[in-house]
Amino acid sequence: MTRVLVPGGVLGLGFDTRALQHGIAARPDIIAIDGGSTDSGPNALGTGVSKYSRAVTRSEWAELMAARSRAGVPLIIGSAGTAGTDAGVDWMLDITREIARERNEHLRIAAIYSQVTPETVLAALDDGRITPLDPAPSCTPEIIRSCTHIVAVQGTEPFMAALESGADIIIAGRATDTATIAALPLMRGNNPGACWHGAKIGECGALCSTEPLSGCILIEFDADGFTVWPTAPTARCTAQSVHAHMLYENADPHRLHEPGGTLDVTNAAYNDIADGAVRVTNSRWIPTDPYRVKLEGAAPAGARTLILALIRDRHYVRNAETWKDHLLAHLHATIRDRTTFDPASYTIEIRLIGINATLGNLENCHSEPTEVGALCIVNAPTQPIATEIAKLCNPFLLHFPLQGCTEMPSFAFPFSPAELDCGPQYAFSLNHLMTLSDPMDTSRMVLVET
């Protein structure tokens, strides 16, 4: 039997301190938390800089380090620094050292790096070991060389090696959300299907419970299945809330592909038991050969400037789509006639916040809003060009009239200057599988003593 305490869905998002204390009191064998995601886009991978506040990350990590010390168990974080780049691992390592010095604590830390060089990927491409994940295009040497950072998404094997080294704390680069949770139960010989299934259910902490913001859950693995329950006193897991989490960020509710195999929960049984816990059995793990890991890469994609105009005039709100279409046509014509910018080198997009900014043409709710935000997004090769084009757009976003209107409208900018420079932009350019001869081929472990 192995108990894994998951304090929350990701470090930096917060968790209930009382729930954490109750979790520690339940005597877990390990504490595991995720440190990253691709949810917020490619910037963290492109720059190697975490999207999360350092101050909040440090505060939460200090609390988890103290909890680890009280429990006397290992503490693991995967995908450190949001994207799991080498810089993200070093960022978390620096934070850990700071806290250890303040606590006068001597620790054995395993830093696991999973960033791979373009040369490594180019060699794999030459060997025919790179396969695109739908709908990614075929990989080319140009795509590989364009990436500022490439990471390999690790499975459980690097975490097992770090645990075998006797590490108190493991700080890992990019890894699947499940790998940090499944590693120790698998090492101890618990049911493989249950290990991967329980890890999937627990990846986001209490999101599988009735109180998602409480953060903490416990998962108990054994030879036949797993049991999961939240540690917040008023939270509960139900068969439905647990079963539903298989759909979270997963297109197939019955199968989950991981490095080294596939989890199949087609015949899994979910049963409510006492005290808000759920018991799950009949999960199946299907090993696959060869062993493959996903590659994630981000490449520069120019620069961006934003302008937000607020529209409250009822006639313009009702006709916002028409106004937007005419404005865009006018802007492109003006840029063509008055500047030398290549039309193929930039884009202008206007998203109507309050109407269909999120779903676009898929929006099916068409009730009339009181006001609309017209978010103008300018993408260009460099920041000066993006800013220049945005400045050209500025007066028209403020005063462009609908056809047939004889009076010039006046909308509002919520801040001055209206142009917001977003700086360099990045795009995901690698979403491919790489075949390995050994699961550790893309991982490098460094042991650090404090």
Side-chain angles (χ1 to χ4, degrees):
M1 183 185 77
T2 306
R3 282 189 172 183
V4 179
L5 174 62
V6 183
V10 67
L11 189 71
L13 188 62
F15 48 80
D16 187 321
T17 295
R18 292 171 300 173
L20 176 64
Q21 292 170 348
H22 290 150
I24 294 300
R27 301 177 65 83
D29 297 291
I30 195 168
I31 304 170
I33 193 166
D34 188 27
S37 174
T38 58
D39 290 355
S40 296
N43 184 267
L45 180 56
T47 62
V49 177
S50 177
K51 81 165 200 172
Y52 296 105
S53 156
R54 190 184 194 278
V56 172
T57 298
R58 190 185 191 283
S59 174
E60 293 182 10
W61 192 237
E63 191 169 351
L64 293 183
M65 285 177 63
R68 183 217 70 83
S69 180
R70 291 196 302 275
V73 300
L75 169 63
I76 295 182
I77 184 169
S79 298
T82 307
T85 60
D86 287 0
V89 174
D90 289 338
W91 184 69
M92 277 304 304
L93 184 57
D94 287 343
I95 290 173
T96 306
R97 283 168 159 162
E98 285 180 12
I99 298 168
R101 284 195 297 268
E102 291 176 3
R103 291 174 50 83
N104 194 28
E105 192 170 16
H106 299 287
L107 298 169
R108 185 178 180 84
I109 304 170
I112 304 174
Y113 298 91
S114 65
Q115 188 172 316
V116 294
T117 65
E119 291 72 25
T120 297
V121 184
L122 286 167
L125 181 65
D126 288 341
D127 293 342
R129 294 187 287 113
I130 303 294
T131 307
L133 283 165
D134 186 53
S138 297
C139 189
T140 66
E142 292 73 24
I143 289 175
I144 295 168
R145 293 190 185 100
S146 72
C147 294
T148 55
H149 300 98
I150 303 171
V151 292
V153 184
Q154 302 169 97
T156 56
E157 289 81 2
F159 294 99
M160 293 179 180
L163 288 167
E164 288 172 350
S165 76
D168 301 302
I169 294 178
I170 301 169
I171 301 171
R174 190 70 172 114
T176 69
D177 295 351
T178 50
T180 58
I181 301 171
L184 183 62
L186 284 170
M187 279 181 65
R188 291 187 168 185
N190 294 286
N191 182 286
C195 291
W196 286 104
H197 192 183
K200 169 59 182 173
I201 299 306
E203 64 178 351
C204 291
L207 194 62
C208 65
S209 78
T210 57
E211 293 186 24
L213 294 181
S214 63
C216 298
I217 61 165
L218 266 169
I219 315 169
E220 185 175 278
F221 300 90
D222 55 49
D224 300 314
F226 70 92
T227 305
V228 56
W229 66 96
T231 61
T234 57
R236 297 174 61 250
C237 281
T238 68
Q240 180 177 345
S241 70
V242 171
H243 192 179
H245 198 75
M246 276 302 298
L247 277 170
Y248 182 73
E249 298 181 336
N250 192 34
D252 188 332
H254 298 125
R255 291 174 182 82
L256 179 69
H257 300 291
E258 293 282 349
T262 299
L263 169 67
D264 186 343
V265 302
T266 304
N267 297 315
Y270 303 79
N271 294 290
D272 293 306
I273 58 177
D275 301 322
V278 172
R279 174 72 176 166
V280 183
T281 54
N282 298 337
S283 312
R284 191 163 66 107
W285 174 250
I286 307 169
T288 56
D289 187 31
Y291 192 98
R292 299 189 295 180
V293 295
K294 186 174 79 161
L295 297 178
E296 295 171 350
R304 176 174 296 163
T305 299
L306 307 178
I307 305 181
L308 177 63
L310 304 179
I311 303 171
R312 286 186 62 88
D313 182 290
R314 180 166 294 181
H315 181 59
Y316 280 83
V317 168
R318 286 176 176 170
N319 295 278
E321 285 281 0
T322 301
W323 173 82
K324 178 195 77 172
D325 292 342
H326 290 166
L327 172 56
L328 282 171
H330 181 80
L331 291 172
H332 286 300
T334 301
I335 294 170
R336 182 188 64 240
D337 295 341
R338 298 186 186 178
T339 76
T340 59
F341 296 133
D342 179 2
S345 69
Y346 70 87
T347 61
I348 304 174
E349 180 183 3
I350 296 178
R351 298 184 186 178
L352 298 175
I353 300 173
I355 294 182
N356 58 4
T358 303
L359 296 180
N361 293 332
L362 296 176
E363 182 59 66
N364 59 13
C365 179
H366 298 290
S367 58
E368 184 178 305
T370 300
E371 64 181 5
V372 172
L375 179 64
C376 180
I377 306 170
V378 179
N379 293 300
T382 67
Q383 189 63 68
I385 294 176
T387 304
E388 183 72 8
I389 293 174
K391 286 186 174 183
L392 185 150
C393 298
N394 178 314
F396 299 104
L397 282 162
L398 202 58
H399 298 299
F400 187 76
L402 276 162
Q403 289 185 342
C405 292
T406 57
E407 295 182 354
M408 180 177 287
S410 184
F411 307 130
F413 292 142
F415 31 74
S416 179
E419 299 81 24
L420 296 176
D421 292 344
C422 298
Q425 299 298 297
Y426 296 86
F428 286 122
S429 52
L430 277 180
N431 188 37
H432 295 67
L433 295 176
M434 182 165 73
T435 300
L436 307 182
S437 58
D438 186 287
M440 298 291 289
D441 281 349
T442 55
S443 301
R444 308 177 311 281
M445 184 171 67
V446 176
L447 295 176
V448 177
E449 304 282 345
T450 65

